[in-house]
Amino acid sequence: MKIMVPVKRVVDYNVKVRVKSDNTGVDIANVKMSMNPFDEIAVEEAVRLKEKGAATEVIAVSCGVTQCQETLRTAMAIGADRAILVETVEELQPLAVAKLLKALMEREQPGLVIMGKQAIDDDANQTGQMLAALVNRPQATFASKIELADGQARVTREVDGGLETVSVSLPAVITTDLRLNEPRYVTLPNIMKAKKKQLDIVKPEDLGVNVAPRLKTLKVSEPPKRGAGIKVPDVATLVSKLKNEAKVI
């Protein structure tokens, strides 16, 4: 069984992002980029499933600019067998990415797609669900535990009231949560091995997908700075300020 793992190149989670002066977006010039943390967890889980014998091949996929090859090399250093880059300079939105992944699924026929539940740059949390709908396959989101057996995926997911366990038939789409695993440290020998692994590059036109943006960003702005706190002499004054000034009660 093949496992396909989409990965996204995003601004590193340790970097404090800056909004462009014209408020059109986030400034990524000379900023450290890395693999989306949720996608890194997905790659780790796919590699673990292969190590258990539940899968035969792990394919990492990324959509975006040429520099996404670095992200795919990282995925192969973790343990992915090969990679595919859908290269484009267009701004890719969730629906366009889902359509590209659908085309790749039809070409590769994976038995399972594991991907991060969301990217930390746009926090859309849409691509996995859209992909499952487009390919008409079962989906299990926010996975904190995955077990494969008898053509089924048993997925434990965190919900407001505790843990929920669902079973979906394969092929399926699963999105990962933070507590699924802790990705392994990438060693230098594995980084060197990743440089020799197969990395194919295709264009959206090769897959017959139109990736033109359908949404327009009107404005991006930083959140307002938090105001200084104040001290109150007693509870009555606190209640009065919450009611009359903050208007939260």
Side-chain angles (χ1 to χ4, degrees), residues 100-166:
L100 291 170
L101 295 176
K102 173 181 180 285
L104 289 174
M105 282 186 69
E106 291 170 350
R107 176 183 291 190
E108 296 290 340
Q109 294 294 314
L112 181 63
V113 176
I114 305 179
M115 59 198 302
K117 68 173 184 177
Q118 65 195 72
I120 61 172
D121 52 2
D122 57 15
D123 277 332
N125 185 9
Q126 295 175 335
T127 307
Q129 293 88 327
M130 287 178 171
L131 175 61
L134 288 173
V135 297
N136 194 27
R137 296 298 184 190
Q139 61 174 304
T141 56
F142 313 150
S144 59
K145 185 178 180 182
I146 300 173
E147 298 171 308
L148 302 182
D150 303 322
Q152 301 275 323
R154 187 178 174 87
V155 179
T156 302
R157 54 196 304 273
E158 296 181 0
V159 294
D160 291 342
L163 298 176
E164 175 184 61
T165 302
V166 297

Coordinates of all heavy atoms in Angstrom, one line a residue, residues 100-166:
L100 N -5.3 19.6 -7.1 CA -4.0 19.1 -7.5 C -3.7 17.7 -6.8 O -3.3 16.8 -7.5 CB -2.9 20.0 -7.1 CG -2.9 21.4 -7.9 CD1 -1.9 22.3 -7.3 CD2 -2.5 21.1 -9.4
L101 N -4.1 17.6 -5.5 CA -3.9 16.3 -4.8 C -4.8 15.3 -5.4 O -4.4 14.1 -5.5 CB -4.1 16.5 -3.3 CG -3.1 17.5 -2.6 CD1 -3.5 17.7 -1.2 CD2 -1.7 16.9 -2.7
K102 N -6.0 15.6 -5.8 CA -6.9 14.7 -6.4 C -6.3 14.1 -7.7 O -6.4 12.9 -7.9 CB -8.3 15.3 -6.7 CG -9.3 14.5 -7.5 CD -10.5 15.2 -7.7 CE -11.5 14.4 -8.5 NZ -11.2 14.2 -9.9
A103 N -5.8 15.0 -8.5 CA -5.2 14.5 -9.7 C -4.0 13.6 -9.5 O -3.8 12.6 -10.1 CB -4.7 15.7 -10.5
L104 N -3.2 13.9 -8.4 CA -2.1 13.0 -8.1 C -2.5 11.7 -7.5 O -1.9 10.6 -7.7 CB -1.1 13.7 -7.1 CG -0.3 14.9 -7.7 CD1 0.4 15.6 -6.6 CD2 0.7 14.4 -8.7
M105 N -3.6 11.7 -6.7 CA -4.2 10.5 -6.2 C -4.6 9.6 -7.3 O -4.4 8.3 -7.3 CB -5.4 10.8 -5.3 CG -5.0 11.2 -3.9 SD -6.4 11.4 -2.8 CE -6.9 9.7 -2.6
E106 N -5.3 10.1 -8.4 CA -5.7 9.4 -9.5 C -4.5 8.7 -10.2 O -4.6 7.6 -10.8 CB -6.5 10.2 -10.4 CG -7.9 10.6 -9.9 CD -8.6 11.7 -10.7 OE1 -8.0 12.2 -11.6 OE2 -9.8 11.9 -10.4
R107 N -3.4 9.4 -10.2 CA -2.2 8.9 -10.9 C -1.5 7.9 -10.1 O -1.0 6.9 -10.6 CB -1.3 10.1 -11.2 CG 0.1 9.7 -11.8 CD 1.0 10.9 -12.0 NE 0.5 11.8 -13.1 CZ 1.3 12.8 -13.6 NH1 2.5 13.0 -13.1 NH2 0.8 13.6 -14.5
E108 N -1.3 8.1 -8.8 CA -0.5 7.3 -7.9 C -1.4 6.1 -7.2 O -0.8 5.1 -6.8 CB 0.2 8.1 -6.8 CG 1.2 9.1 -7.3 CD 2.4 8.4 -7.9 OE1 2.7 7.2 -7.6 OE2 3.1 9.0 -8.7
Q109 N -2.7 6.3 -7.1 CA -3.5 5.4 -6.4 C -3.1 5.0 -5.0 O -2.9 3.8 -4.7 CB -3.7 4.1 -7.3 CG -4.4 4.4 -8.6 CD -5.8 4.7 -8.5 OE1 -6.6 4.1 -7.7 NE2 -6.3 5.8 -9.2
P110 N -2.9 5.9 -4.1 CA -2.5 5.6 -2.8 C -3.6 4.9 -2.0 O -4.8 5.3 -2.2 CB -2.1 6.9 -2.2 CG -2.9 7.9 -2.9 CD -3.1 7.4 -4.3
G111 N -3.3 4.1 -1.1 CA -4.3 3.5 -0.2 C -4.7 4.4 1.0 O -5.7 4.2 1.6
L112 N -3.8 5.4 1.2 CA -4.1 6.3 2.3 C -3.4 7.6 2.1 O -2.3 7.7 1.6 CB -3.5 5.7 3.6 CG -3.7 6.5 5.0 CD1 -5.2 6.6 5.3 CD2 -3.0 5.7 6.1
V113 N -4.1 8.7 2.4 CA -3.5 10.0 2.4 C -3.5 10.5 3.8 O -4.5 10.6 4.5 CB -4.3 11.0 1.5 CG1 -3.7 12.4 1.6 CG2 -4.3 10.5 0.1
I114 N -2.3 10.9 4.3 CA -2.2 11.5 5.7 C -1.6 12.9 5.5 O -0.6 13.1 4.9 CB -1.2 10.6 6.6 CG1 -1.7 9.2 6.7 CG2 -1.2 11.2 8.0 CD1 -0.8 8.3 7.5
M115 N -2.3 13.8 6.1 CA -1.8 15.2 5.9 C -2.1 16.0 7.2 O -2.9 15.6 8.0 CB -2.5 15.9 4.7 CG -4.0 15.9 4.8 SD -4.9 16.2 3.2 CE -4.2 17.8 2.8
G116 N -1.4 17.1 7.4 CA -1.7 18.0 8.6 C -3.1 18.5 8.5 O -3.6 18.8 7.5
K117 N -3.7 18.7 9.7 CA -5.0 19.2 9.7 C -5.2 20.6 9.2 O -6.2 21.1 8.7 CB -5.6 19.1 11.2 CG -5.0 20.1 12.2 CD -5.7 20.0 13.5 CE -5.2 21.1 14.5 NZ -5.9 21.1 15.8
Q118 N -4.1 21.4 9.3 CA -4.1 22.8 8.9 C -2.6 23.3 8.7 O -1.7 22.7 9.3 CB -4.8 23.7 9.8 CG -4.2 23.8 11.2 CD -5.1 24.4 12.3 OE1 -6.0 23.8 12.7 NE2 -4.8 25.7 12.6
A119 N -2.5 24.4 8.0 CA -1.2 25.0 7.9 C -1.1 26.2 8.8 O -2.1 26.8 9.0 CB -0.9 25.4 6.4
I120 N 0.1 26.4 9.4 CA 0.2 27.5 10.4 C 0.2 28.9 9.8 O 0.2 29.9 10.5 CB 1.4 27.3 11.3 CG1 2.7 27.3 10.5 CG2 1.2 26.0 12.1 CD1 3.9 27.3 11.4
D121 N 0.2 29.0 8.4 CA 0.2 30.3 7.9 C -1.2 30.8 7.6 O -1.5 32.0 8.0 CB 1.0 30.4 6.6 CG 0.6 29.3 5.6 OD1 -0.3 28.5 5.9 OD2 1.3 29.2 4.5
D122 N -2.1 30.0 7.0 CA -3.4 30.5 6.8 C -4.5 29.9 7.8 O -5.6 30.4 7.9 CB -3.9 30.3 5.4 CG -3.8 28.8 5.0 OD1 -3.7 28.0 5.9 OD2 -3.8 28.5 3.8
D123 N -4.1 28.8 8.5 CA -5.0 28.2 9.4 C -6.3 27.9 8.8 O -7.4 27.9 9.5 CB -5.2 29.1 10.7 CG -4.1 28.9 11.7 OD1 -3.5 27.8 11.7 OD2 -3.8 29.9 12.4
A124 N -6.4 27.5 7.5 CA -7.7 27.3 6.9 C -8.4 26.0 7.3 O -9.6 26.0 7.4 CB -7.4 27.3 5.3
N125 N -7.6 24.9 7.5 CA -8.2 23.7 7.9 C -9.3 23.2 7.0 O -10.4 22.9 7.3 CB -8.8 23.8 9.4 CG -9.3 22.5 9.9 OD1 -9.1 21.4 9.3 ND2 -10.0 22.5 11.0
Q126 N -8.9 23.3 5.7 CA -9.9 22.9 4.6 C -9.5 21.9 3.6 O -10.3 21.1 3.1 CB -10.3 24.2 3.8 CG -11.0 25.3 4.6 CD -11.2 26.5 3.8 OE1 -10.5 26.8 2.9 NE2 -12.2 27.3 4.2
T127 N -8.2 21.8 3.3 CA -7.7 21.0 2.2 C -8.0 19.6 2.4 O -8.5 18.9 1.4 CB -6.2 21.2 2.0 OG1 -5.9 22.6 1.9 CG2 -5.7 20.5 0.8
G128 N -7.8 19.0 3.6 CA -8.1 17.6 3.8 C -9.5 17.2 3.5 O -9.9 16.2 2.8
Q129 N -10.4 18.1 4.1 CA -11.9 17.8 3.9 C -12.3 18.0 2.4 O -13.1 17.2 1.9 CB -12.7 18.8 4.8 CG -12.5 18.5 6.3 CD -11.3 19.3 6.9 OE1 -10.3 19.5 6.3 NE2 -11.4 19.7 8.2
M130 N -11.7 19.0 1.8 CA -12.1 19.2 0.4 C -11.6 18.0 -0.5 O -12.3 17.6 -1.4 CB -11.4 20.5 -0.1 CG -12.1 21.8 0.4 SD -11.3 23.2 -0.2 CE -12.4 24.5 0.3
L131 N -10.4 17.6 -0.2 CA -9.8 16.4 -1.0 C -10.7 15.2 -0.8 O -11.0 14.5 -1.8 CB -8.4 16.1 -0.5 CG -7.7 14.9 -1.1 CD1 -7.6 15.1 -2.6 CD2 -6.3 14.7 -0.5
A132 N -11.1 14.9 0.4 CA -11.9 13.7 0.7 C -13.2 13.8 -0.1 O -13.7 12.8 -0.7 CB -12.2 13.6 2.2
A133 N -13.8 15.0 -0.2 CA -15.1 15.2 -0.9 C -14.9 15.1 -2.4 O -15.7 14.4 -3.1 CB -15.6 16.6 -0.6
L134 N -13.7 15.6 -2.9 CA -13.5 15.5 -4.4 C -13.3 14.1 -4.8 O -13.7 13.7 -5.9 CB -12.3 16.4 -4.7 CG -12.5 17.9 -4.7 CD1 -11.1 18.6 -4.9 CD2 -13.5 18.4 -5.7
V135 N -12.6 13.3 -4.0 CA -12.3 11.9 -4.4 C -13.3 10.9 -3.9 O -13.2 9.7 -4.2 CB -10.9 11.5 -4.0 CG1 -9.8 12.3 -4.6 CG2 -10.7 11.5 -2.5
N136 N -14.3 11.5 -3.2 CA -15.4 10.6 -2.6 C -14.9 9.5 -1.8 O -15.3 8.3 -1.9 CB -16.3 10.1 -3.7 CG -17.6 9.6 -3.2 OD1 -18.1 10.0 -2.2 ND2 -18.2 8.6 -4.0
R137 N -14.0 9.8 -0.8 CA -13.4 8.8 0.1 C -13.7 9.2 1.5 O -13.9 10.4 1.8 CB -11.9 8.8 -0.1 CG -11.4 8.3 -1.5 CD -11.8 6.9 -1.8 NE -11.3 6.4 -3.1 CZ -11.7 5.3 -3.7 NH1 -12.6 4.6 -3.1 NH2 -11.2 4.9 -4.8
P138 N -13.7 8.2 2.4 CA -13.9 8.5 3.8 C -12.8 9.4 4.4 O -11.7 9.4 3.9 CB -13.9 7.1 4.5 CG -14.1 6.1 3.4 CD -13.5 6.8 2.2
Q139 N -13.2 10.2 5.4 CA -12.2 11.0 6.0 C -12.3 10.9 7.6 O -13.3 10.6 8.1 CB -12.4 12.5 5.6 CG -13.7 13.1 6.0 CD -13.8 14.5 5.7 OE1 -13.0 15.3 6.2 NE2 -14.8 14.9 5.0
A140 N -11.1 11.1 8.2 CA -11.0 11.2 9.7 C -10.1 12.3 10.0 O -8.9 12.3 9.6 CB -10.5 9.8 10.2
T141 N -10.6 13.3 10.7 CA -9.8 14.5 11.0 C -9.3 14.5 12.4 O -9.8 13.9 13.3 CB -10.7 15.8 10.7 OG1 -11.9 15.7 11.5 CG2 -11.1 15.8 9.2
F142 N -8.2 15.4 12.6 CA -7.7 15.6 13.9 C -7.2 14.3 14.6 O -7.5 14.1 15.8 CB -8.6 16.4 14.8 CG -9.3 17.6 14.2 CD1 -10.6 18.0 14.6 CD2 -8.7 18.3 13.2 CE1 -11.2 19.0 14.0 CE2 -9.3 19.4 12.6 CZ -10.5 19.8 13.0
A143 N -6.6 13.5 13.9 CA -6.2 12.1 14.5 C -5.1 12.3 15.5 O -4.1 12.9 15.3 CB -5.7 11.2 13.3
S144 N -5.3 11.6 16.7 CA -4.3 11.6 17.7 C -3.8 10.1 17.8 O -2.8 9.9 18.6 CB -4.8 12.0 19.1 OG -5.9 11.3 19.5
K145 N -4.4 9.2 17.1 CA -3.9 7.8 17.0 C -4.4 7.1 15.8 O -5.6 7.3 15.5 CB -4.3 7.0 18.3 CG -3.7 5.6 18.4 CD -4.1 4.9 19.7 CE -3.5 3.5 19.8 NZ -4.0 2.8 21.0
I146 N -3.6 6.4 15.1 CA -4.0 5.7 13.9 C -3.5 4.3 13.9 O -2.4 4.0 14.2 CB -3.4 6.4 12.6 CG1 -3.8 7.9 12.5 CG2 -3.8 5.6 11.3 CD1 -3.1 8.6 11.4
E147 N -4.5 3.4 13.6 CA -4.2 1.9 13.5 C -4.8 1.4 12.3 O -5.9 1.6 11.9 CB -4.7 1.2 14.7 CG -4.2 1.6 16.1 CD -4.9 1.0 17.3 OE1 -6.2 1.1 17.3 OE2 -4.3 0.4 18.1
L148 N -4.0 0.6 11.5 CA -4.5 0.0 10.2 C -4.6 -1.5 10.4 O -3.7 -2.1 10.9 CB -3.5 0.4 9.1 CG -3.2 1.8 8.8 CD1 -2.3 1.9 7.6 CD2 -4.5 2.6 8.5
A149 N -5.7 -2.0 9.9 CA -5.9 -3.5 10.0 C -7.1 -3.9 9.1 O -8.1 -3.2 9.2 CB -6.1 -4.0 11.4
D150 N -7.0 -4.9 8.4 CA -8.1 -5.5 7.6 C -8.8 -4.5 6.7 O -10.0 -4.4 6.6 CB -9.1 -6.2 8.5 CG -8.5 -7.2 9.4 OD1 -7.6 -8.0 8.9 OD2 -8.9 -7.3 10.6
G151 N -8.0 -3.7 6.0 CA -8.6 -2.7 5.1 C -9.3 -1.6 5.7 O -10.1 -0.9 5.1
Q152 N -9.1 -1.4 7.0 CA -9.7 -0.3 7.8 C -8.7 0.5 8.5 O -7.6 0.0 8.9 CB -10.7 -0.9 8.9 CG -11.8 -1.8 8.3 CD -13.0 -1.0 7.8 OE1 -13.3 0.0 8.5 NE2 -13.6 -1.4 6.8
A153 N -9.0 1.8 8.7 CA -8.2 2.6 9.6 C -9.0 3.0 10.8 O -10.1 3.5 10.7 CB -7.8 3.9 8.8
R154 N -8.4 2.7 11.9 CA -9.1 3.0 13.2 C -8.4 4.2 13.8 O -7.2 4.2 14.1 CB -9.0 1.8 14.2 CG -9.7 1.9 15.5 CD -9.5 0.7 16.3 NE -10.2 0.8 17.6 CZ -11.4 0.5 17.9 NH1 -12.2 0.0 16.9 NH2 -11.9 0.6 19.1
V155 N -9.2 5.3 13.9 CA -8.6 6.6 14.2 C -9.2 7.2 15.5 O -10.4 7.2 15.6 CB -8.9 7.6 13.0 CG1 -8.3 9.0 13.4 CG2 -8.2 7.1 11.7
T156 N -8.3 7.5 16.4 CA -8.8 8.2 17.6 C -8.6 9.7 17.4 O -7.5 10.1 17.0 CB -8.0 7.7 18.8 OG1 -8.1 6.3 19.0 CG2 -8.4 8.4 20.1
R157 N -9.6 10.4 17.7 CA -9.5 11.9 17.5 C -10.0 12.6 18.8 O -10.9 12.1 19.5 CB -10.3 12.3 16.3 CG -11.8 11.8 16.3 CD -12.4 11.9 14.9 NE -12.3 13.3 14.4 CZ -13.2 14.2 14.6 NH1 -14.3 14.0 15.4 NH2 -13.1 15.4 14.0
E158 N -9.5 13.8 19.0 CA -9.9 14.6 20.2 C -11.1 15.4 19.9 O -11.1 16.1 18.9 CB -8.7 15.4 20.6 CG -7.5 14.6 21.1 CD -6.3 15.5 21.5 OE1 -6.4 16.7 21.5 OE2 -5.3 14.9 21.9
V159 N -12.1 15.3 20.7 CA -13.3 16.2 20.6 C -13.4 16.9 22.0 O -12.7 16.7 22.9 CB -14.5 15.3 20.3 CG1 -14.4 14.7 18.9 CG2 -14.7 14.2 21.4
D160 N -14.4 17.8 22.0 CA -14.6 18.7 23.2 C -14.8 17.8 24.4 O -14.3 18.2 25.5 CB -15.7 19.6 23.0 CG -15.4 20.7 21.9 OD1 -14.3 20.9 21.7 OD2 -16.4 21.3 21.4
G161 N -15.5 16.7 24.3 CA -15.9 16.0 25.5 C -14.9 14.9 25.9 O -15.0 14.2 26.8
G162 N -13.8 14.7 25.1 CA -12.8 13.7 25.4 C -12.2 13.1 24.1 O -11.8 13.8 23.2
L163 N -12.3 11.8 23.9 CA -11.7 11.1 22.8 C -12.8 10.4 22.0 O -13.7 9.7 22.6 CB -10.6 10.1 23.2 CG -9.4 10.7 23.8 CD1 -8.4 9.6 24.3 CD2 -8.7 11.7 22.9
E164 N -12.8 10.4 20.7 CA -13.7 9.7 19.9 C -13.0 8.8 18.9 O -11.9 9.2 18.4 CB -14.5 10.7 19.0 CG -15.5 10.1 18.0 CD -16.2 11.1 17.2 OE1 -15.5 11.9 16.5 OE2 -17.4 11.2 17.2
T165 N -13.4 7.5 18.8 CA -12.7 6.6 17.9 C -13.6 6.2 16.8 O -14.8 5.9 17.0 CB -12.3 5.3 18.7 OG1 -11.5 5.7 19.8 CG2 -11.6 4.4 17.8
V166 N -13.1 6.4 15.5 CA -13.9 6.1 14.4 C -13.2 5.1 13.5 O -11.9 5.0 13.6 CB -14.2 7.4 13.5 CG1 -15.1 8.4 14.3 CG2 -12.9 8.1 13.1

